[in-house]
Amino acid sequence: MMERLREGVNSIAVKIILGLIILSFVFTGVSGYLGGGSSVAAKVGDSEISRQDFEMAYQNERNRMQQQAGDSFSAQLGDPAFVQSFRKEVLDRMVNQMLLEQYASDLGMRVSDEQVRSMILTMPQFQSNGKFDQQVYQAFLRRAGFNADSFAAYLRSDLVRQQVIQALDNSDFVLPQEVAQTAQLITQKRDIRTITLSPSEMAKSIKLTDEQLNKFYKDNSQRFTRPQQYKVSYLELSAQSLKSSENVSDQKAQEYYQHNLDKYSTTEQRSLSHILVKDQAKAEQLLAKLNSGADFATLAKESSEDAGSADNGGSLGWVEKGTMDPEFEKAAFALENKGDISAVVKSNFGYHIIQLSGIKAAQAKPYADVAADIKKEVAEQEAVNSFYELQNKLESVAFEYPDSLDDAAKAIDQEIHTTGFISQADAPEILKSDKVMQALQTPEVSEDGLNSDVIEIAPEHVVVVRIEDSRPQTVLPYADVATQVKQQLSEVEGRNKANALADKVTKALESGDDSVLATEQLKFSAVQSIDRSSAYARTVFAMPRPTQDKPHFAKSMDYTGNVVIIELNKVTNNIDPKFNAQIESQLKRAQSEQELMALITALRSKIDVEYYVVGDGQ
């Protein structure tokens, strides 16, 4: 197989095909193959949602869901169909938001600068000790990828949308009768008695014939089929297994410490205040006042147009390099002494005057305090370097000597592992990956008996597999599965018997004949009051109300699979008025959501919406 591949690469036909592919890249451009190009994610009427804004929103929502749902969400991200659907949901939400903004604009709804400023100053996430904290605010902007202007624009858009939603909320009302009816349904309880029939207990009295067992075996052969199985040999290589901080000497750790001293040093910080205005002439006038002895904090409160810092006398708190606008940062870190004031500085946000209020010099941590962390980090780096070096060897040797793993094992100094006959269901954890199972089914591995390619099963963790032996999917002989056949048929017959008895008893009781209880030696439990969270709720709350002298009967199933006969003898409505306000609020919210979706649907039907990107990317 490998010889044929090598010969094929050198053939004239293959060279011609490769030449055509290269030419297609030249004329089409690499971006044509990678699916990039458009900087617009969607158009809503004459407005656009940029690709950058969409990707940021997608990543933020993805991060939020991973924090909320953990591994279960991460696992879903492995499914391309789920990723495409998830990205579509995010973009749909952004389109809906833009539709609402345009609708609000058409209605003349506006949000003033003062409203935005007031909201920023009162947002609880920016508060420390009950007051607005500039440092917390700036840290949030850096983490979220905003600057002051873009965050204010985001809030303004959100406030405009909220005006529309609030208008819908204010137009909704719920009648007292609706609240009462809903409260009655939600708080209703029903008194029942039950008889539990255990299928497993009933199965004990069932005598099964050989004829029944053989028929069940033949009719349900898929239950007794052994899947295709492989006896697999594999080599495993991981960076984790190569890591050992004990092998890192003090000399090597000291050298790393000296070469990366900035990594173990606090960054120089400066306490800064500023006055921000949009007009240069105004900035020059304010600078002249400061040079004439005006108080910086007072002037900032009176004149600065930065909503986040003005009330604090222009204070930005402690700032380090790499967090501010480049021009602002250059001027701020050029100031030398506490109290120094810069000239007027132009940035992307306007014109600044900057005051230096204090300096915290950079300070290195002692080597002894970080030695253990350094050794661990050096060990990890060395392990990763070794891993990729050995992975290259593994790829090369496993390909060059495809009929055995022996040479590859020697090349990377790892042990060959061999399993018994396995399928995906009972494979060792390391081989349960879909990628491994797919590799085992490729013709090169399953038919030609060659080594697989190197398969990545996790970051910096790979395997190479080969099949030593295989056996096809087959229906197991009856003698090998006789115990399973008898157990499964007993369960089926036990459940059938329980259901038949429950149907018989329920029908008799519903017709008024309670003698069936004595005949079948059955007895109801004590009365229990259930609500809509009960295992029997779906059945019980669908039953008709009983009259004073006539209960009703039905069949259900509990959480463990037992068949249950239910007697419903009383319905009670203990409505607590304290829940009325909550119920009314929920009903109004549901109405508002319905009206909002109806509005968005109407807007989508009137305004052209075009999607340019949805499923690409991970």
Side-chain angles (χ1 to χ4, degrees):
M1 168 63 80
M2 292 299 144
E3 289 301 320
R4 292 201 299 272
L5 280 173
R6 294 188 183 96
E7 291 169 5
V9 169
N10 293 317
S11 72
I12 295 175
V14 170
K15 288 180 178 178
I16 292 172
I17 293 170
L18 288 173
L20 290 173
I21 292 173
I22 292 168
L23 284 173
S24 69
F25 271 97
V26 170
F27 290 111
T28 307
V30 175
S31 63
Y33 287 89
L34 298 182
S38 176
S39 62
V40 179
K43 282 187 72 174
V44 184
D46 295 329
S47 302
E48 295 179 347
I49 297 172
S50 73
R51 174 71 176 262
Q52 182 180 2
D53 287 346
F54 165 62
E55 293 298 345
M56 180 183 293
Y58 167 67
Q59 287 299 331
N60 287 340
E61 184 64 11
R62 175 171 166 162
N63 293 340
R64 186 186 70 81
M65 289 298 297
Q66 282 181 313
Q67 290 176 354
Q68 182 176 314
D71 292 341
S72 62
F73 180 76
S74 298
Q76 287 179 295
L77 291 175
D79 179 2
F82 173 80
V83 172
Q84 181 168 355
S85 173
F86 184 61
R87 287 170 65 83
K88 177 72 161 50
E89 287 178 16
V90 174
L91 190 53
D92 276 340
R93 195 178 308 134
M94 296 179 76
V95 167
N96 291 345
Q97 289 171 350
M98 185 165 282
L99 285 167
L100 289 177
E101 288 173 36
Q102 293 176 355
Y103 179 68
S105 177
D106 291 343
L107 294 177
M109 295 180 175
R110 299 287 185 272
V111 173
S112 68
D113 292 343
E114 185 56 36
Q115 284 176 285
V116 175
R117 180 172 179 274
S118 176
M119 185 174 184
I120 292 174
L121 294 176
T122 56
M123 290 174 73
Q125 55 266 52
F126 303 147
Q127 302 285 314
S128 290
N129 299 320
K131 294 183 178 179
F132 177 80
D133 189 319
Q134 179 67 27
Q135 285 184 277
V136 173
Y137 172 62
Q138 291 289 342
F140 165 80
L141 294 184
R142 290 194 297 271
R143 287 195 307 270
F146 285 111
N147 58 45
D149 283 355
S150 63
F151 183 61
Y154 167 80
L155 284 183
R156 189 186 309 278
S157 297
D158 188 58
L159 286 170
V160 168
R161 291 193 299 271
Q162 290 304 320
Q163 285 183 339
V164 176
I165 295 171
Q166 189 65 44
L168 291 174
D169 286 344
N170 291 339
S171 66
D172 288 324
F173 63 91
V174 180
L175 297 173
Q177 185 179 359
E178 292 179 273
V179 175
Q181 289 175 342
T182 304
Q184 191 174 36
L185 289 172
I186 292 174
T187 62
Q188 186 183 100
K189 290 189 175 183
R190 297 196 165 198
D191 291 353
I192 64 170
R193 295 194 301 164
T194 60
I195 298 172
T196 300
L197 305 176
S198 169
S200 59
E201 286 299 316
M202 292 197 159
K204 293 178 182 178
S205 63
I206 296 174
K207 303 298 182 184
L208 298 172
T209 65
D210 289 341
E211 184 181 357
Q212 286 176 299
L213 291 168
N214 275 291
K215 185 176 186 304
F216 183 77
Y217 167 73
K218 291 177 181 177
D219 292 345
N220 298 276
S221 59
Q222 74 281 358
R223 297 190 182 199
F224 311 107
T225 298
R226 184 188 64 207
Q228 184 175 21
Q229 292 183 319
Y230 307 102
K231 189 175 284 186
V232 179
S233 290
Y234 66 93
L235 278 174
E236 176 186 8
L237 180 65
S238 72
Q240 183 67 29
S241 66
L242 301 172
K243 183 169 59 179
S244 174
S245 57
E246 295 176 2
N247 296 333
V248 179
S249 65
D250 280 321
Q251 180 182 351
K252 187 178 289 186
Q254 282 275 13
E255 290 174 359
Y256 185 87
Y257 173 74
Q258 293 299 331
H259 289 147
N260 298 274
L261 200 56
D262 58 333
K263 190 174 181 180
Y264 301 101
S265 303
T266 58
T267 306
E268 178 188 335
Q269 292 183 320
R270 295 195 163 207
S271 178
L272 302 173
S273 299
H274 80 142
I275 298 171
L276 171 66
V277 294
K278 301 295 184 184
D279 181 69
Q280 184 178 7
K282 183 178 179 181
E284 297 290 354
Q285 292 171 4
L286 294 171
L287 180 61
K289 289 183 180 181
L290 291 168
N291 290 334
S292 298
D295 179 68
F296 193 97
T298 302
L299 205 57
K301 287 183 179 180
E302 293 173 351
S303 305
S304 180
E305 297 173 16
D306 178 9
S309 66
D311 282 0
N312 292 327
S315 174
L316 297 173
W318 291 97
V319 174
E320 60 190 49
K321 284 186 176 180
T323 61
M324 308 297 283
D325 178 272
E327 294 301 320
F328 179 98
E329 195 170 276
K330 181 180 177 182
F333 280 82
L335 300 173
E336 297 179 355
N337 301 308
K338 182 178 179 180
D340 283 357
I341 295 173
S342 72
V344 172
V345 179
K346 185 179 185 299
S347 79
N348 291 329
F349 310 118
Y351 296 89
H352 306 260
I353 304 168
I354 308 166
Q355 183 184 56
L356 175 63
S357 305
I359 299 176
K360 288 181 184 177
Q363 192 171 18
K365 296 178 182 178
Y367 168 76
D369 292 351
V370 294
D373 290 337
I374 288 175
K375 288 184 177 182
K376 182 178 178 183
E377 187 165 344
V378 171
E380 288 176 351
Q381 288 184 2
E382 290 182 344
V384 169
N385 292 338
S386 296
F387 168 80
Y388 285 111
E389 182 180 336
L390 291 173
Q391 182 184 350
N392 288 335
K393 283 186 182 179
L394 178 60
E395 288 175 339
S396 175
V397 177
F399 178 78
E400 291 173 4
Y401 302 93
D403 298 319
S404 168
L405 289 175
D406 293 341
D407 294 286
K410 290 177 185 176
I412 65 171
D413 192 25
Q414 295 293 317
E415 179 185 354
I416 299 172
H417 303 275
T418 303
T419 72
F421 281 108
I422 60 169
S423 63
Q424 186 166 15
D426 56 8
E429 198 62 37
I430 190 173
L431 301 181
K432 281 190 175 179
S433 161
D434 288 339
K435 292 180 181 178
V436 172
M437 289 298 156
Q438 288 166 8
L440 291 174
Q441 294 168 23
T442 59
E444 293 82 4
V445 178
S446 64
E447 297 173 14
D448 300 340
L450 305 180
N451 297 334
S452 73
D453 293 333
V454 171
I455 306 163
E456 183 181 45
I457 57 175
E460 291 155 6
H461 191 179
V462 299
V463 293
V464 174
V465 298
R466 63 178 292 105
I467 294 174
E468 302 296 346
D469 197 1
S470 66
R471 54 191 187 190
Q473 176 177 298
T474 184
V475 177
L476 295 169
Y478 177 79
D480 292 353
V481 292
T483 301
Q484 294 170 253
V485 172
K486 184 176 182 179
Q487 179 185 345
Q488 291 188 25
L489 181 54
S490 293
E491 290 174 358
V492 170
E493 293 299 322
R495 185 162 307 283
N496 290 341
K497 186 176 180 180
N499 276 310
L501 179 57
D503 289 336
K504 173 185 172 183
V505 172
T506 301
K507 184 177 179 181
L509 292 173
E510 190 68 22
S511 66
D513 179 11
D514 60 2
S515 64
V516 69
L517 296 175
T519 303
E520 300 294 340
Q521 298 182 340
L522 298 174
K523 185 179 179 181
F524 277 107
S525 68
V527 174
Q528 55 180 309
S529 182
I530 68 165
D531 58 23
R532 294 181 184 272
S533 64
S534 167
Y536 314 128
R538 179 173 298 214
T539 300
V540 172
F541 282 85
M543 295 169 68
R545 282 173 172 266
T547 58
Q548 187 172 4
D549 58 346
K550 182 172 174 49
H552 286 289
F553 301 87
K555 180 182 75 172
S556 187
M557 187 176 293
D558 66 16
Y559 289 131
T560 60
N562 292 320
V563 178
V564 181
I565 300 168
I566 298 172
E567 176 193 71
L568 171 62
N569 50 49
K570 187 179 179 183
V571 175
T572 57
N573 293 297
N574 297 320
I575 301 174
D576 190 338
K578 71 180 181 182
F579 293 118
N580 283 1
Q582 182 180 347
I583 291 170
E584 181 179 2
S585 175
Q586 290 174 347
L587 289 174
K588 288 181 68 175
R589 188 180 305 116
Q591 286 185 4
S592 295
E593 288 173 357
Q594 289 177 354
E595 290 176 9
L596 180 61
M597 291 312 300
L599 173 60
I600 289 172
T601 301
L603 293 173
R604 279 179 174 266
S605 68
K606 296 177 182 177
I607 299 173
D608 290 334
V609 176
E610 297 179 71
Y611 288 79
Y612 295 96
V613 54
V614 174
D616 57 336
Q618 292 290 316

